[in-house]
Amino acid sequence: MEWYEALALLVGSIMFLMAIGMPVALAFLAANILGAWVFMGGDRGVAQLLNNGFGSLTKFALVPIPLFLLMGEIFFHTGLGGRMFTAIDRLLGRLPGRLSYVTVLGGTAFSTLSGSSMGSTALLGSLMVPEMSQRGYKKHMSVGPILGTGGLAIIIPPSALAVLLATLAQIDVAALLIAGIIPGLILAGFYIGTIWLQTQLDPSAAPAYDVEPLPLLGKLWLLFREVVPMVGVMVVIIVMMVRGIVTPSEAAAFGALGVLILAALFRCLTWDAMKKSVIGALRVTLMAYLIVFGSATFSQLLAFSGASRGLIEWATDFELAPVAMLLVMFAVLLILGMFMEQISMMLLTVPIFFPLATTLGFDPIWFGLIMLLALEISFTTPPFGLLLFVMKGVAPPDTTMRQIYLAAVPFILCSLCVVALLILFPQLALWLPGLG
């Protein structure tokens, strides 16, 4: 069988099974079993493939995923996240567009830990948009920052999605997490600058309203009581990883323990909150492990059937410049993101894109960061980006799809600017990992 026939059989069967409604992980598992039967010699091939897949689940690099997820779930269910939102809101006072800034700052902290862009968008949309609408905010000032926080959350550590991508691509987890710090801060600056510019061009888009004045000592007390402890947990684990004091797995454990201690100190660590946190983290972890299992076996089938080698040879025969090929892969991710969820996209593209990126001479950590940004941008790309429809579902009834599309555009442009900067200056991503 020619390589393109093998690729069509494997990818086509996955797409067909997903189209008829089969869950992503099960669709990959079924397609992998079919491929093993065809390419690896029947039932013996299937048994060997399953053994190899289970072996991929024993990697120590997977440990941070459940711990980061547990950290985020505790942060949410105990109310620590709500306390931080409220404190940031009060600290900003009468600043024009105050609630938009709150959405970016507080939403990023929550989204980074939760690992689910769709869940974060649904939560922030239902929490913040009605409040901003009541205060007279125009749609682009209320909807846009929520859609934008995903791009920021996915690359600033700790990020469960970054850990999953690094595991699937078999690259250094700590290096990919650390690589996102500087680009993430730049993107945060772009978002804040965008909100500021929008309020300057149209002050009525986010009208100021009276808030209870807070003296300087009150602000300092609020900052150190409600914000510094929450942010401090994230800063400490990032610094420990950058300094090489702990591994990502140890950092995740310290982070989960730190949030537990904070919840206990603030007297919001209840049995109900812990039960919901563990169940939520367990549910996403099991899905992630199924994804890793499916990806490992899919990669082996691509290699065994000759599909990956044939595809790489075919792609490199075009003699496109490496940057042009990068843009082609970027465009493929943007298109897939209109119809598929992030983890599904990673499962489908990582086994193909990373070997191709290595052949083109790209640094795998740098390419991983580019891919993370592409995954998130694709979620908000009109007309079919999935987060756009999630936002439509939770926004007030008078919100139109056109308003959501227009609100997303400035924040998509911010993310694209960061991608352009990473292409022009790769050291923005590689400098911090190189210090370790």
Side-chain angles (χ1 to χ4, degrees):
M1 187 180 292
E2 295 291 336
W3 70 266
Y4 49 84
E5 294 173 331
L7 184 65
L9 174 65
L10 292 170
V11 176
S13 57
I14 292 169
M15 300 300 288
F16 171 75
L17 292 171
M18 290 173 60
I20 63 174
M22 184 176 286
V24 174
L26 296 181
F28 269 87
L29 182 60
N32 289 342
I33 291 174
L34 172 63
W37 187 276
V38 173
F39 298 114
M40 299 178 68
D43 54 356
R44 288 187 178 180
V46 173
Q48 181 61 43
L49 191 74
L50 293 176
N51 286 334
N52 293 343
F54 282 115
S56 67
L57 298 180
T58 62
K59 294 180 179 178
F60 191 64
L62 289 172
V63 173
I65 293 177
L67 291 172
F68 279 150
L69 290 172
L70 181 62
M71 183 178 170
E73 292 287 335
I74 296 171
F75 188 70
F76 170 61
H77 287 294
T78 59
L80 290 176
R83 295 177 71 111
M84 189 173 73
F85 265 101
T86 303
I88 293 173
D89 183 33
R90 294 190 64 193
L91 286 170
L92 292 179
R94 286 179 51 85
L95 180 70
R98 174 166 64 94
L99 293 177
S100 297
Y101 293 113
V102 170
T103 300
V104 170
L105 297 173
T108 297
F110 174 76
S111 301
T112 303
L113 294 168
S114 73
S116 171
S117 294
M118 297 180 74
S120 299
T121 300
L123 174 71
L124 291 170
S126 57
L127 179 70
M128 299 299 295
V129 173
E131 175 70 16
M132 286 192 269
S133 298
Q134 184 180 346
R135 298 292 184 183
Y137 280 53
K138 292 185 178 179
K139 298 298 183 185
H140 67 277
M141 293 299 295
S142 60
V143 171
I146 295 173
L147 294 172
T149 53
L152 191 55
I154 198 173
I155 60 174
I156 293 181
S159 168
L161 203 63
V163 174
L164 184 57
L165 177 66
T167 305
L168 296 179
Q170 299 182 14
I171 59 178
D172 190 329
V173 174
L176 183 59
L177 287 170
I178 294 168
I181 295 174
I182 294 177
L185 293 175
I186 293 172
L187 185 57
F190 283 168
Y191 283 173
I192 291 172
T194 298
I195 294 172
W196 177 85
L197 184 62
Q198 288 175 327
T199 57
Q200 294 300 306
L201 294 175
D202 184 10
S204 65
Y209 56 91
D210 289 332
V211 293
E212 183 182 346
L214 200 63
L216 178 60
L217 286 178
K219 288 184 177 181
L220 290 175
W221 170 244
L222 194 63
L223 177 68
F224 283 102
R225 188 186 65 186
E226 306 287 1
V227 179
V228 171
M230 322 303 180
V231 176
V233 172
M234 290 178 272
V235 171
V236 167
I237 64 175
I238 291 170
V239 169
M240 288 196 298
M241 281 195 295
V242 172
R243 300 291 295 176
I245 299 172
V246 296
T247 65
S249 301
E250 293 165 342
F254 276 117
L257 177 62
V259 174
L260 273 173
I261 292 172
L262 284 180
L265 291 175
F266 283 102
R267 297 184 180 180
C268 53
L269 184 62
T270 64
W271 173 251
D272 185 57
M274 280 304 302
K275 181 181 176 181
K276 290 179 179 177
S277 300
V278 171
I279 291 174
L282 182 61
R283 184 182 296 115
V284 181
T285 299
L286 289 175
M287 180 184 67
Y289 274 54
L290 279 174
I291 294 297
V292 172
F293 182 92
S295 177
T297 51
F298 185 57
S299 301
Q300 292 168 17
L301 280 173
L302 286 176
F304 196 86
S305 65
S308 56
R309 184 181 67 253
L311 181 63
I312 290 171
E313 290 175 355
W314 173 77
T316 52
D317 281 345
F318 282 109
E319 297 183 355
L320 291 175
V323 173
M325 188 61 72
L326 174 69
L327 295 178
V328 170
M329 291 189 280
F330 197 87
V332 168
L333 290 169
L334 293 185
I335 294 169
L336 287 177
M338 297 178 185
F339 310 99
M340 298 175 66
E341 192 248 342
Q342 289 164 323
I343 295 178
S344 308
M345 293 165 62
M346 287 198 299
L347 194 56
L348 190 62
T349 57
V350 164
I352 298 171
F353 282 8
F354 268 86
L356 181 57
T358 302
T359 304
L360 294 170
F362 296 142
D363 183 283
I365 301 300
W366 174 84
F367 180 74
L369 197 58
I370 294 285
M371 190 166 176
L372 281 174
L373 278 167
L375 289 168
E376 195 59 49
I377 293 169
S378 67
F379 253 26
T380 53
T381 306
F384 302 118
L386 293 181
L387 289 188
L388 302 174
F389 293 97
V390 173
M391 178 57 68
K392 173 62 176 172
V394 299
D398 63 336
T399 307
T400 65
M401 286 305 299
R402 181 177 182 274
Q403 290 172 324
I404 294 175
Y405 291 158
L406 293 175
V409 169
F411 294 90
I412 292 173
L413 293 176
C414 289
S415 297
L416 290 175
C417 287
V418 171
V419 172
L421 286 174
L422 287 174
I423 294 173
L424 293 172
F425 308 104
Q427 284 303 309
L428 289 174
L430 300 177
W431 178 65
L432 277 180
L435 295 178

